Amino acid sequence: MPSLICRTVQLSPVVPAARAMAEAEEVPWAKRLFEIAGNVFAVTGRTEREYRRSLAGVRERLVFYGSTPAYRAVPKHHGWDALQEELRTLSLRGRWKEMGWFVDDDVSNAFAVVAEDSATAGQLIRERYTDVYHRVSISPAPNSDPALALAILDGIRSD
């Protein structure tokens, strides 16, 4: 049992099914004996170009997880078995640049908070994860401006 050896469990950004599985076992998710820290992919930008780059960057990270056999249960939970198989095949062929096109808006929205502005992204994180995680960290797209992450945090804190 994790509570005997640690106080916090840090979850990967692609484990939103963990809460559903716990509830299926009739275990209250927020009443665990340890804290649950979640990592949330966030897509946002101050300009259309910045937003598009953020979306592409997060989709590239999603295809990595989607192509990894260890995460096979996650797309399967959502009914995206064929997507996982296609991403795996492409990854084995080294076709990483093409793979982002396979992640559509439904997949992006399932595993990331996608909003055109940082304040809205923060509000969505707060609404979506308040009863899921005790603590949350934000994973913006690689090479994004750190000010965007700070603005998302401000959105989380605002009422």
Side-chain angles (χ1 to χ4, degrees):
M1 174 174 254
S3 63
L4 298 176
I5 56 174
C6 66
R7 287 191 232 165
T8 303
V9 175
Q10 177 73 40
L11 297 180
S12 162
V14 293
V15 206
R19 179 179 182 185
M21 289 184 279
E23 290 175 349
E25 297 169 3
E26 298 183 8
V27 178
W29 183 251
K31 304 261 190 246
R32 301 285 175 143
L33 299 175
F34 49 89
E35 284 190 349
I36 300 160
N39 192 357
V40 178
F41 286 134
V43 174
T44 191
R46 292 167 293 220
T47 65
E48 180 68 22
R49 181 173 186 232
E50 195 173 52
Y51 172 83
R52 292 282 166 214
R53 288 179 62 198
S54 177
L55 182 60
V58 168
R59 284 181 172 173
E60 287 175 8
R61 293 172 81 186
L62 290 173
V63 298
F64 167 77
Y65 285 104
S67 67
T68 305
Y71 288 96
R72 178 173 284 139
V74 179
K76 182 178 181 175
H77 173 79
H78 291 276
W80 297 320
D81 306 48
L83 173 63
Q84 196 281 330
E85 293 168 14
E86 183 70 25
L87 292 175
R88 179 74 180 145
T89 300
L90 290 170
S91 73
L92 293 173
R93 294 179 183 158
R95 294 170 58 188
W96 292 96
K97 289 290 181 192
E98 304 168 39
M99 293 167 60
W101 293 105
F102 287 86
V103 177
D104 62 17
D105 290 344
D106 289 339
V107 175
S108 296
N109 286 312
F111 298 112
V113 168
V114 180
E116 291 187 11
D117 66 89
S118 300
T120 302
Q123 292 167 356
L124 290 171
I125 290 170
R126 187 177 65 240
E127 291 167 11
R128 189 184 292 183
Y129 297 108
T130 292
D131 293 329
V132 178
Y133 301 135
H134 295 96
R135 289 185 286 152
V136 66
S137 62
I138 297 165
S139 280
N143 302 318
S144 63
D145 184 347
L148 286 173
L150 293 174
I152 292 169
L153 291 173
D154 287 341
I156 293 171
R157 293 183 191 115
S158 71
D159 287 331

